[in-house]
Amino acid sequence: VYDASYKVNSGMVVDGNRHGVWNELTCTGTKTQSTPTYWWVDLGEEIRVDKVSIYKRVGYESRILNATVIVVNDITPAYLDGLKDNISESMLCGTISTNDPVETINCGGKQGRYVAIYKTEEGLWEVCEVEVYGQVADDNKNWALGRPTGQSAVYD
């Protein structure tokens, strides 16, 4: 059941709750708009990102297909909007390519302060949890948990 009063925000997906159910106040989504659309998390400092796990909205996993996961050091909207055709190999972790409820993207130690999910195709998409694992001091730490986030447009 869809609840129209459910208000999303980008921080809902770094709360440690892996449930993929929309009305449990754990997911966020973009609205349908011209591209690009994106979500990002500020890791607080530059780290070597090993992997990013994305927990998708149950029943709508295909909406986020073909989005890319990138690691960058600049997160201003002007910078992200300008990336559409300029995502370099040095920042690209990979592309979301399955309908699986959870997809883990290997980043291979790419360095940056921000991790972003970036989609150049038109359409809305949802994500329910993002976990970022990397190396500075603790190899097993979820660097995204509770950190500041943002996105291009919030579904309403």
Side-chain angles (χ1 to χ4, degrees), residues 52-123:
V52 177
S53 294
I54 298 137
Y55 294 77
K56 304 168 189 172
R57 180 180 178 194
V58 174
Y60 298 88
E61 293 87 354
S62 66
R63 287 183 175 174
I64 199 168
L65 282 175
N66 301 319
T68 56
V69 176
I70 58 175
V71 178
V72 293
N73 279 312
D74 184 358
I75 209 68
T76 60
Y79 177 78
L80 288 174
D81 288 341
L83 279 180
K84 186 172 183 179
D85 298 315
N86 300 305
I87 295 176
S88 70
E89 192 63 35
S90 66
M91 66 177 71
L92 177 64
C93 291
T95 301
I96 297 170
S97 60
T98 73
N99 285 325
D100 297 339
V102 180
E103 189 158 350
T104 298
I105 305 291
N106 181 3
C107 292
K110 300 232 187 289
Q111 290 190 266
R113 177 175 174 163
Y114 305 94
V115 171
I117 300 172
Y118 189 89
K119 189 163 183 177
T120 57
E121 296 172 354
E122 189 170 339

Side-chain angles (χ1 to χ4, degrees), residues 1-8 22-25 57 155-156:
V1 173
Y2 173 75
D3 180 355
S5 67
Y6 179 68
K7 299 297 181 197
V8 301
W22 184 256
N23 286 343
E24 290 185 6
L25 300 175
R57 180 180 178 194
Y155 178 81
D156 53 30

